[in-house]
Amino acid sequence: MTPLGFASGVWKRVMEFLFPPETDMWLVVFRIGLGLQVVVYTLSLRSDWHSLFSETGKGLVSRELGEAITSFDSPLIPKLEWLVFLGRHIGLAEETVLSVAWACLLCMGCCLLLGLFCRPAAIIAWFLHLCAAESGGLLAYGADNFMTTALFYLMLSPLPDRYSLDRRLVKTKLMDPRLLGFWRRVLQVHLCFVYFFGGLAKFLGSGWWDGSNLWRSLIRPPFNLISPDILVRFKYALPVLGISICLIEVGYPVFIWIKKTRFFWLVCILAMHAAIGLTMGMYLFALVMIVLNLAAFGVGIRVRARLAS
């Protein structure tokens, strides 16, 4: 084979990997799952929204402090202060602006669930959630980061999907299967990087080998839903669970691509996140990770298994 032919073959394989033909069923799961995520997120903060994001002296943690810390990274990162500033110029009080922001975020979540105004809803939901996450930076955690990332991918994805109200109200053609495949591939590769480096970081520390990290995570308030007495009884299982989590995450970029092991690895990763949600009360984190995995690798897995057999 000539060098030119070899290069042409490599380029063809790269393009086939980046642009595989896909249906929009993964996008349906992605949109509905993130719509549910946004709705649950806003409703969970319904009673604490003003306490969390009011100015100095009113909130649990000063919004100004969180936004000042965020500004060290970049002054261009969206914050709720932007909305409050605009509200003041049209005569709206801070409390009113915060209430409108909460209501808009809830409304955008409902729109995503129904598939109504999909792209504008995704863009507004991403912006408002990013503002909230950055303004409450001291209280934000992994769920907020993954939720912002997921909404960013959703607003760039080829919406609307076949089951959205947008598609029924405005008769549009289905998107190019290769474009749908590209955005799903981006999501898949992103998850592979997340799990691999997360698992590698766990492997480098001794806390996951002896189970001490799991112990500390499960007894630390407010995540201590399981009684310490129960944990003591099963203390010998903690090292096994810790090593298993590391193996699942490090092996994710390899075994999730192999058809024979994809279903098993997907079940393991979903079970891991479900366990995190149930045992530590991190329901939002568990939900967004389950949605990401189902959209990236879950949709179509049974169909492909049948075809392969």
Side-chain angles (χ1 to χ4, degrees):
M1 181 182 293
T2 64
L4 183 60
F6 176 77
S8 177
V10 171
W11 177 250
K12 182 180 179 181
R13 291 182 181 180
V14 170
M15 296 304 291
E16 288 176 350
F17 175 80
L18 292 177
F19 295 92
E22 289 278 0
T23 68
D24 62 353
M25 285 305 301
W26 73 270
L27 189 56
V28 175
V29 173
F30 199 38
R31 172 183 59 79
I32 294 176
L34 287 181
L36 179 62
Q37 177 80 19
V38 172
V39 170
V40 173
Y41 171 82
T42 51
L43 291 178
S44 67
L45 293 178
R46 177 170 55 92
S47 59
D48 299 319
W49 185 264
H50 289 277
S51 298
L52 290 172
F53 299 118
S54 294
E55 285 183 339
T56 306
K58 298 179 181 179
L60 298 175
V61 178
S62 170
R63 190 189 75 232
E64 292 180 345
L65 176 60
E67 292 176 345
I69 294 174
T70 298
S71 297
F72 284 124
D73 295 329
S74 173
L76 300 179
I77 297 176
K79 299 176 282 289
L80 286 175
E81 177 59 29
W82 292 11
L83 304 180
V84 173
F85 178 79
L86 292 175
R88 285 172 182 163
H89 279 68
I90 59 175
L92 296 179
E94 179 196 45
E95 185 175 353
T96 303
V97 173
L98 292 177
S99 297
V100 171
W102 180 88
C104 285
L105 189 57
L106 178 62
C107 182
M108 294 306 103
C110 294
C111 286
L112 288 177
L113 277 173
L114 297 174
L116 187 63
F117 309 116
C118 292
R119 195 173 306 282
I123 294 172
I124 296 172
W126 169 80
F127 179 79
L128 290 176
H129 178 265
L130 181 60
C131 288
E134 296 300 331
S135 294
L138 294 175
L139 301 174
Y141 69 113
D144 294 295
N145 296 330
F146 283 109
M147 188 173 167
T148 301
T149 302
L151 287 170
F152 179 78
Y153 284 143
L154 180 64
M155 75 180 192
L156 295 179
S157 297
L159 295 166
D161 56 78
R162 70 180 65 189
Y163 292 114
S164 64
L165 286 179
D166 287 345
R167 179 60 59 81
R168 297 178 183 275
L169 295 175
V170 181
K171 302 298 182 180
T172 57
K173 296 181 180 180
L174 292 174
M175 291 293 179
D176 184 356
R178 294 191 179 277
L179 184 61
L180 288 163
F182 171 75
W183 283 108
R184 191 182 191 189
R185 189 68 86 213
V186 170
L187 186 61
Q188 291 171 337
V189 173
H190 188 130
L191 285 179
C192 287
F193 276 106
V194 167
Y195 283 117
F196 176 76
F197 287 108
L200 184 62
K202 291 181 177 67
F203 260 132
L204 296 178
S206 60
W208 289 92
W209 292 88
D210 58 17
S212 59
N213 279 359
L214 273 178
W215 170 264
R216 285 193 292 267
S217 299
L218 293 170
I219 65 171
R220 180 184 303 171
F223 309 117
N224 54 337
L225 300 184
I226 300 179
S227 171
D229 295 335
I230 297 177
L231 294 177
V232 170
R233 292 181 184 178
F234 296 94
K235 61 181 180 180
Y236 296 108
L238 294 180
V240 177
L241 290 174
I243 296 173
S244 299
I245 290 172
C246 295
L247 290 174
I248 290 172
E249 292 189 353
V250 171
Y252 187 94
V254 176
F255 296 104
I256 201 69
W257 294 103
I258 302 174
K259 291 183 178 181
K260 293 183 179 180
T261 57
R262 182 177 301 160
F263 179 76
F264 173 76
W265 227 258
L266 182 64
V267 170
C268 287
I269 208 74
L270 294 180
M272 182 185 76
H273 288 300
I276 290 173
L278 294 174
T279 60
M280 301 179 65
M282 300 173 66
Y283 307 115
L284 287 172
F285 176 73
L287 178 57
V288 71
M289 296 309 297
I290 289 173
V291 169
L292 285 168
N293 277 280
L294 287 177
F297 291 103
V299 176
I301 192 170
R302 293 183 178 178
V303 175
R304 291 173 183 174
R306 289 174 184 174
L307 291 177
S309 61

